[in-house]
């Protein structure tokens, strides 16, 4: 009876380790995608900055673009933070 309980506990432990390893890979992949997206958004920001520096530039377009980019960044950061927090909880 004790051996059966220990075997069950060992199986649960193995499943948990498998889950954590899978979540780790998913987090790493999500982080790489997050960095790629941030790089693209930074490039877009640089274009907006370069355009607004020109005489007669459209400041409204600059502000609208900057606002959209910052909101998008915040959404991506929030999403990756949630993944990190969930993963940290599973490690404990």
């Amino acid at each position: 009876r004790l051996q059966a309980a220990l075997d069950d506990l060992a199986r649960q432990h193995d499943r948990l380790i498998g889950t954590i390893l899978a979540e780790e890979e998913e987090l790493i992949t999500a982080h790489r995608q997050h960095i790629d997206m941030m790089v693209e958004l930074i490039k877009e920001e640089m274009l907006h900055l370069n355009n607004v520096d020109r005489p007669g530039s459209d400041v409204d377009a600059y502000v609208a673009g900057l606002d959209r980019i910052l909101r998008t960044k915040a959404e991506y950061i929030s999403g990756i933070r949630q993944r990190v927090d969930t993963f940290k909880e599973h490690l404990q």
Side-chain angles (χ1 to χ4, degrees), residues 49-61:
L49 278 174
N50 290 335
N51 288 337
V52 80
D53 279 341
R54 295 185 181 135
S57 63
D58 185 350
V59 175
D60 288 337

Side-chain angles (χ1 to χ4, degrees), residues 5-21 90-92:
L6 289 175
D7 289 346
D8 187 49
L9 190 59
R11 280 192 296 278
Q12 288 178 15
H13 181 263
D14 288 346
R15 278 195 303 271
L16 181 59
I17 295 298
T19 299
I20 288 173
L21 290 175
H90 292 170
L91 288 177
Q92 296 175 357

Side-chain angles (χ1 to χ4, degrees), residues 29-42:
T29 298
H31 187 201
R32 289 183 199 285
Q33 292 169 345
H34 169 79
I35 289 171
D36 290 344
M37 184 55 65
M38 288 294 146
V39 167
E40 291 305 312
L41 289 170
I42 288 169

